[in-house]
Amino acid sequence: QSALTQPASVSGSPGQSITISCTGTSSDVGTHNYVSWYQQHPGKGPKLIILDVRNRPSGVSNRFSGSKSGNTASLTISGLQAEDEADYFCGSYTASSSYVFGTGTKVTVL
Amino acid sequence: EVQLVESGGGLVQPGRSLRLSCTASGFTFGDHAMSWFRQAPGKGLEWVGFIRNEFYGGTAEYAASVKGRFIMSRLDSKSIAYLQMNSLKTEDTALYYCVRGGGVHKRYSGSYPNWYDRWGQGALVTVSS
């Protein structure tokens, strides 16, 4: 199962909004709403920030939002802050019921 | 506070076995599926598999890369999840994370977590001669 495709890096200035795409196929992202997004700071374990395409777990800032169109899911970070600098991964089930991650996006706050 | 603490990692020779443990606290362990993920040095995340809770049969699903070599189990009375890794290969070298599953949806082979919401800090497994 191939990884989902994400841009290698995205950058923005504090206060700006950025969007990270996660492109899959009709056999994974496009077939259901079990798409999640994870944030990972260096040396730390991942943190779930979006579940079921667009829902935020308790305690996650409302600056993070998710959406999906066809085979592409997206994560938008609004009001970019220095603490948002991290790696971001999307995750999705596949038609064969395995779970696959995106290639990862490094977010840099300029 | 939800906590997941992995233990049992280390250096092991190819072909040998190793067992990881994940001790959970801060939530009702028996209500959740428990999963394992791994991340090779400098690489992305890889799903290893998960084990359902007893309500959904307590059975496990595995990634193709580990199926037949790795076995997941759980001891709900002590809130511990295990990952028994057999016939280890050099490509199994990674940081292994214990992760709590959340939500449930049905697929052909049974129930699956919708998401994976709490992660441990990981246990490093190095397979090398």
Side-chain angles (χ1 to χ4, degrees):
Chain A
Q1 178 66 43
S2 299
L4 308 174
T5 301
Q6 298 180 231
S9 62
V10 174
S11 61
S13 299
Q16 286 187 329
S17 293
I18 61 170
T19 296
I20 302 168
S21 60
C22 169
T23 301
T25 70
S26 57
S27 295
D28 40 61
V29 173
T31 197
H32 58 70
N33 287 325
Y34 305 117
V35 177
S36 296
W37 287 91
Y38 304 87
Q39 176 193 61
Q40 186 175 30
H41 286 105
K44 301 287 189 180
K47 174 186 177 183
L48 178 69
I49 56 173
I50 294 289
L51 56 93
D52 292 354
V53 173
R54 62 182 70 252
N55 297 316
R56 284 187 307 278
S58 175
V60 172
S61 171
N62 59 9
R63 298 185 299 103
F64 295 95
S65 61
S67 63
K68 192 185 84 166
S69 178
N71 298 335
T72 299
S74 298
L75 172 72
T76 297
I77 308 175
S78 305
L80 200 61
Q81 299 180 1
E83 67 205 48
D84 300 330
E85 190 161 289
D87 292 326
Y88 292 82
F89 296 89
C90 58
S92 170
Y93 279 100
T94 70
S96 59
S97 297
S98 62
Y99 195 82
V100 64
F101 285 95
T103 49
T105 299
K106 182 177 181 60
V107 169
T108 301
V109 181
L110 301 172
Chain B
E1 179 192 3
V2 173
Q3 282 197 319
L4 298 168
V5 179
E6 302 92 341
S7 59
L11 174 64
V12 61
Q13 293 179 325
R16 304 296 291 267
S17 298
L18 197 66
R19 188 179 78 162
L20 301 182
S21 300
C22 168
T23 301
S25 60
F27 66 100
T28 303
F29 186 77
D31 286 351
H32 292 264
M34 295 302 297
S35 182
W36 293 88
F37 291 78
R38 66 185 182 184
Q39 190 169 31
K43 302 294 185 182
L45 293 163
E46 181 184 7
W47 178 76
V48 175
F50 76 95
I51 182 167
R52 299 176 178 88
N53 63 3
E54 286 304 312
F55 181 84
Y56 288 104
T59 52
E61 303 288 341
Y62 300 94
S65 57
V66 306
K67 196 169 186 178
R69 299 189 298 123
F70 288 14
I71 300 170
M72 294 180 194
S73 60
R74 58 190 295 157
L75 185 59
D76 287 2
S77 61
K78 294 190 179 298
S79 299
I80 301 175
Y82 298 101
L83 178 64
Q84 176 68 42
M85 302 181 290
N86 301 321
S87 304
L88 282 162
K89 306 175 181 179
T90 55
E91 53 262 43
D92 294 320
T93 294
L95 188 63
Y96 283 73
Y97 292 103
C98 171
V99 187
R100 186 180 78 171
V104 174
H105 68 280
K106 294 295 183 65
R107 289 175 170 259
Y108 179 78
S109 54
S111 66
Y112 282 70
N114 291 5
W115 60 79
Y116 298 96
D117 62 356
R118 296 301 179 108
W119 296 60
Q121 288 301 299
L124 183 61
V125 173
T126 303
V127 185
S128 174
S129 54

